[in-house]
Amino acid sequence: MSFNVKGKVAVVTGGSSGIGLETVRLLLAEGARVAWCGRNTERLAASLAEMLASFPEDNCMAYPCDVLDKEAVTAFAAAVEARFGGTDMLINNAGQGRVSNFEQTDDEQWLAESRLKTFSVIYPIKAFLDQLTRSPCPSITNVNSLLALQPEPHMIATSAARAALLNLTHSLAHEFAAKGIRVNSILLGMVESEQWRRRFAERSEPQQSWEEWTQGIAARRGIPMGRLGKPEEPARALIFLASPLAAYTTGAALDVSGGFNRHL
Ligand code: NDP
């Protein structure tokens, strides 16, 4: 069974790396037309070149945009409409986490983290809402973290902001149901990413391989599946929720954490 997204238009924020890039790749492989954004233009261009090596140019659109810049996001939405004629699936993925406990987090950092986690979703939703409203199968899917339900003191600001995003996603699902727009999210545990690659490069035991190092993290953190997630694993969950296969699902938060969740 396919995801039934052939010919549909997907927008992926933060699509130039990691989970976002794997989501772009899988959507294109499924025949969707995909627009994605990122801030670093070199990385964005590299992601476009990589996708064009495997998929038709007509289906690919990479656009430089900071999701916290409201005008830029509005221009991104206008460019997608001009290029593809509308949007069916908005996948809000752009962002990063902040590692600090309460004593290490100053007021500006609290504000910045809160702003990133909420406005990285609010601005794209505002900008793409008209296009989604016109789609026959509209969806919004937010990348969120298990920290929303299971806070960690060493990521205190991210945990609090993630809880707010979970709450916001739930409200949006209810408000937009009347428009036929489904709103869901995925809750991530730890997924292999550039952040983890950077930490691997600085590891204290240089003889350790990537597998040994990541399995060590999984064991220490108590991830029952014994490994970090691969970016393509959350990508599949995102596309399922965004796709017509999940036509009767809204307001859901799908756990993609390898069993790291400690709640029922
Ligand atoms: P990566 O760093 O590999 O990718 C992040 C992507 O988002 C890049 O394309 C980056 O491009 C883009 N991005 C970041 N900030 C912005 C912005 N303000 N505007 C536009 N694009 C932006 O990270 P992951 O793939 O691991 O993370 C994807 C999402 O998953 C993030 O929201 C992250 O917080 C979340 N997450 C990840 C976890 C993990 O373990 N990997 C755990 C929990 C949540 P550029 O920097 O060029 O803008």
Side-chain angles (χ1 to χ4, degrees), residues 86-106:
T87 298
D88 301 300
M89 297 169 273
L90 171 62
I91 297 179
N92 289 310
N93 163 76
Q96 61 192 38
R98 167 170 193 88
V99 179
S100 61
N101 66 19
F102 187 79
E103 289 189 14
Q104 296 159 340
T105 313
D106 67 27

Side-chain angles (χ1 to χ4, degrees), residues 161-179:
R162 288 304 194 184
L165 176 58
L166 183 64
N167 190 295
L168 171 65
T169 304
H170 193 264
S171 293
L172 289 171
H174 285 252
E175 181 169 338
F176 289 169
K179 293 180 189 287

Side-chain angles (χ1 to χ4, degrees), residues 119-148:
F119 283 94
S120 65
V121 169
I122 291 170
Y123 287 152
I125 291 176
K126 285 191 173 197
F128 285 93
L129 191 57
D130 280 349
Q131 295 180 51
L132 290 166
T133 305
R134 280 184 268 120
S135 164
C137 52
S139 66
I140 297 167
T141 315
N142 299 328
V143 172
N144 202 346
S145 161
L146 198 53
L147 293 171

Side-chain angles (χ1 to χ4, degrees), residues 10-114:
V11 171
V12 181
T13 68
S16 58
S17 164
I19 296 163
L21 182 58
E22 290 312 311
T23 306
V24 168
R25 192 193 312 278
L26 182 53
L27 282 162
L28 288 168
E30 292 284 316
R33 291 176 289 164
V34 189
W36 66 97
C37 74
R39 295 164 301 178
N40 181 310
T41 48
E42 275 176 30
R43 189 153 51 167
L44 191 65
S47 69
L48 179 61
E50 193 182 335
M51 294 304 109
L52 290 179
S54 306
F55 304 107
E57 188 175 357
D58 284 355
N59 288 359
C60 299
M61 175 180 173
Y63 190 94
C65 170
D66 181 340
V67 290
L68 294 182
D69 179 340
K70 189 174 183 178
E71 283 181 14
V73 179
T74 305
F76 178 34
V80 173
E81 177 150 32
R83 174 79 188 273
F84 292 142
T87 298
D88 301 300
M89 297 169 273
L90 171 62
I91 297 179
N92 289 310
N93 163 76
Q96 61 192 38
R98 167 170 193 88
V99 179
S100 61
N101 66 19
F102 187 79
E103 289 189 14
Q104 296 159 340
T105 313
D106 67 27
D107 293 357
E108 289 308 314
Q109 290 163 338
W110 272 103
L111 285 169
E113 191 60 2
S114 173

Side-chain angles (χ1 to χ4, degrees), residues 3 16 19 47 62 95 99 115 117 120 128 134 161 177 188 197 204 220 224-225 227 230 233 243 256:
F3 286 102
S16 58
I19 296 163
S47 69
V99 179
R115 179 165 176 260
K117 297 300 182 290
S120 65
F128 285 93
R134 280 184 268 120
L188 299 177
R197 291 275 169 198
S204 53
R220 282 195 300 280
M225 289 187 71
R227 64 174 177 85
K230 310 265 180 216
E233 292 169 325
S243 78
V256 187

